[in-house]
Amino acid sequence: MLSSVKGKSVIVTGGSKGIGRGIARVFAREGANVAIASRGDAAAAVACDEIEQEGGGTAYHVPCDVSDWDSVRSMVESVAARSGGVDVLCANAGAFPQTKIVDMDPSEWDQVLATNLKSAFLCVKACIPHFDNAKKGRVVLTSSITGPVTGFPGWSHYGASKSGQLGFLKTAAMELARYGTTINAVMPGNIYTEGLQDLGEEYLKTMAASIPLKRLGDVEDIGHAALFFASDEAGYITGQQIVVDGGQIIPESLEAIEEI
Ligand code: NAP
């Protein structure tokens, strides 16, 4: 049994859908006060209702574009004012359009890097004034296996952004230590989310077949890993990452996966 996050103020960017929604649900179930930061209202309202109905903690939506500094700063200030500070930041929002390098407009590269990588810097920067040494702040980034470990055609920008998050993580861990705050990353494999569904049935089917555990991950699989990093018990872990992928990166060949 891990220490409780009951009553803690938790920001989950991209908490209105997919993995972020799973993270928000897992933290709220443990009694946290969760701020869902995303651009759209409708999906966020559904995610907040779902949490309220399940009981435990609470959830509210704060509109935010994580690629924009003013928007991030105002989101964090509003959470701190409403919830009495910020204890945990789950910087999870991200986008993964699929375009090969030869076809990619440079503006798409900038957009993906801003949404997935610059956003981590902006969110951490905005939270620093609220990380209080006594309260043991926590940051959990949602990176990916794509980039740091694997490649996939169409995701050069995405992979670069997800590897970049891990580069950011190492120095951020050193700089946040003085505030008593840890920062770690979860590296999901293929998790069944709204965003992944957009890639089509064929993608989902072949991905599931390439995973030793023979299923896509559930959003709460990532939520539980994030909850661990946010616990007191993980207080001596910082600057690290954990792969949560059903064993997807293990097989050396098609033959190896077909044998099991
Ligand atoms: P998703 O289902 O498409 O949900 C994305 C979430 O991010 C939504 O809540 C979206 O809300 C929010 N978002 C996107 N752009 C934003 C912006 N500029 N500002 C604020 N919020 C923004 O995606 P997902 O599959 O759950 O992925 C979530 C994270 O996990 C991403 O970082 C992704 O790279 C990572 N990941 C996913 C997988 C997977 O298999 N699904 C695997 C590895 C890593 P709005 O559009 O309303 O803003």
Side-chain angles (χ1 to χ4, degrees):
M1 178 85 168
L2 297 176
S3 59
S4 176
V5 290
K6 191 162 188 233
K8 290 208 168 171
S9 166
V10 178
I11 295 174
V12 183
T13 71
S16 63
K17 291 184 203 155
I19 289 177
R21 186 164 160 179
I23 295 173
R25 220 159 47 208
V26 166
F27 275 83
R29 204 175 286 149
E30 297 299 317
N33 191 11
V34 179
I36 289 177
S38 64
R39 293 164 305 177
D41 292 334
V46 173
C48 290
D49 280 354
E50 181 182 69
I51 285 172
E52 294 290 333
Q53 277 175 22
E54 204 178 328
T58 57
Y60 57 97
H61 180 225
V62 187
C64 174
D65 178 346
V66 292
S67 66
D68 180 80
W69 172 232
D70 288 340
S71 181
V72 168
R73 196 166 41 178
S74 120
M75 177 273 288
V76 170
E77 292 310 316
S78 124
V79 171
R82 180 165 171 170
S83 297
V86 178
D87 300 310
V88 181
L89 163 67
C90 295
N92 161 84
F96 34 93
Q98 226 178 339
T99 312
K100 294 203 172 119
I101 297 165
V102 68
D103 300 319
M104 195 187 298
D105 191 275
S107 64
E108 181 176 318
W109 174 277
D110 290 343
Q111 188 53 50
V112 168
L113 270 285
T115 304
N116 297 357
L117 177 57
K118 185 181 171 194
S119 62
F121 152 66
L122 296 180
C123 290
V124 167
K125 180 175 170 63
C127 285
I128 284 179
H130 303 284
F131 287 141
D132 167 353
N133 216 325
K135 289 172 81 183
K136 305 184 185 117
R138 295 282 189 266
V139 180
V140 184
L141 307 179
T142 306
S143 175
S144 177
I145 57 168
T146 311
V149 186
T150 63
F152 201 96
W155 279 333
S156 61
H157 47 3
Y158 178 75
S161 72
K162 293 291 156 180
S163 289
Q165 286 183 332
L166 301 186
F168 169 73
L169 174 73
K170 303 295 174 198
T171 294
M174 297 181 72
E175 294 188 15
L176 290 178
R178 67 181 301 178
Y179 308 102
T181 295
T182 67
I183 176 168
N184 294 289
V186 180
M187 297 162 69
N190 279 266
I191 310 299
Y192 192 69
T193 65
E194 290 89 331
L196 213 72
Q197 284 165 45
D198 291 344
L199 301 175
E201 271 308 310
E202 191 54 29
Y203 175 91
L204 300 176
K205 211 171 93 192
T206 52
M207 269 305 165
S210 74
I211 297 169
L213 288 180
K214 295 293 176 206
R215 67 169 177 92
L216 298 182
D218 184 86
V219 292
E220 293 196 8
D221 291 327
I222 307 305
H224 290 125
L227 186 66
F228 168 67
F229 278 138
S231 68
D232 285 351
E233 287 78 2
Y236 202 55
I237 304 173
T238 194
Q240 301 304 313
Q241 58 266 344
I242 184 167
V243 171
V244 182
D245 73 340
Q248 186 176 349
I249 60 172
I250 297 172
E252 286 187 22
S253 68
L254 208 52
E255 196 186 20
I257 189 79
E258 278 165 4
E259 275 211 13
I260 63 171

